[in-house]
Amino acid sequence: MYSAFKFNNAKVDLAFAFTHKPTDSMGQVELAFLRHLLSAAAQRGQVTPDDVQRALESSGAFDLDLDEGGKDKIVADLWNIGDNYIGALSARQAAELRRLRKLCLEANSGDADALAQIAEII
């Protein structure tokens, strides 16, 4: 089970990742990484090192137009973020993340009520 602090961070990061639009390629990569990683947590109730690796691969981090040193730093930073979420959630936490993810998707479709519900959850 995630600690209260870790779970609150997961909720805030999930809501941020699904409701904000990136302003640059780095922001796009980070938001894609968080969406993938925290969706796995919501759907399966846990995050594994394999989930972190899959989130890295799907985020586009390896495709950034940077020298290898810059790319390595970004991958390491994202891995550190993902490492914070490795572990299992309680059944209640997983259900709450699933509900929050659903509300975020509804908010992206223009549902203003969903935004109000997201604010209540986080």
Side-chain angles (χ1 to χ4, degrees), residues 11 96 99 113-122:
K11 292 189 300 184
E96 190 170 339
R99 179 172 175 256
D113 184 49
L115 280 175
Q117 291 179 55
I118 291 168
E120 288 176 18
I121 291 172
I122 61 171

Side-chain angles (χ1 to χ4, degrees), residues 27-77:
Q28 185 175 359
V29 165
E30 183 176 2
L31 292 179
F33 174 79
L34 287 170
R35 282 191 300 266
H36 185 92
L37 185 68
L38 294 172
S39 289
Q43 292 167 350
R44 292 194 342 275
Q46 68 176 351
V47 172
T48 67
D50 286 342
D51 292 321
V52 176
Q53 184 62 38
R54 281 191 292 276
L56 277 169
E57 291 168 0
S58 71
S59 71
F62 296 113
D63 301 325
L64 289 171
D65 188 21
L66 299 170
D67 62 43
E68 284 305 309
K71 205 177 290 189
D72 289 346
K73 181 182 180 335
I74 290 163
V75 168
D77 289 348

Side-chain angles (χ1 to χ4, degrees), residues 89-96 98:
L89 287 82
S90 70
R92 182 195 62 77
Q93 289 172 332
E96 190 170 339
R98 281 191 300 276

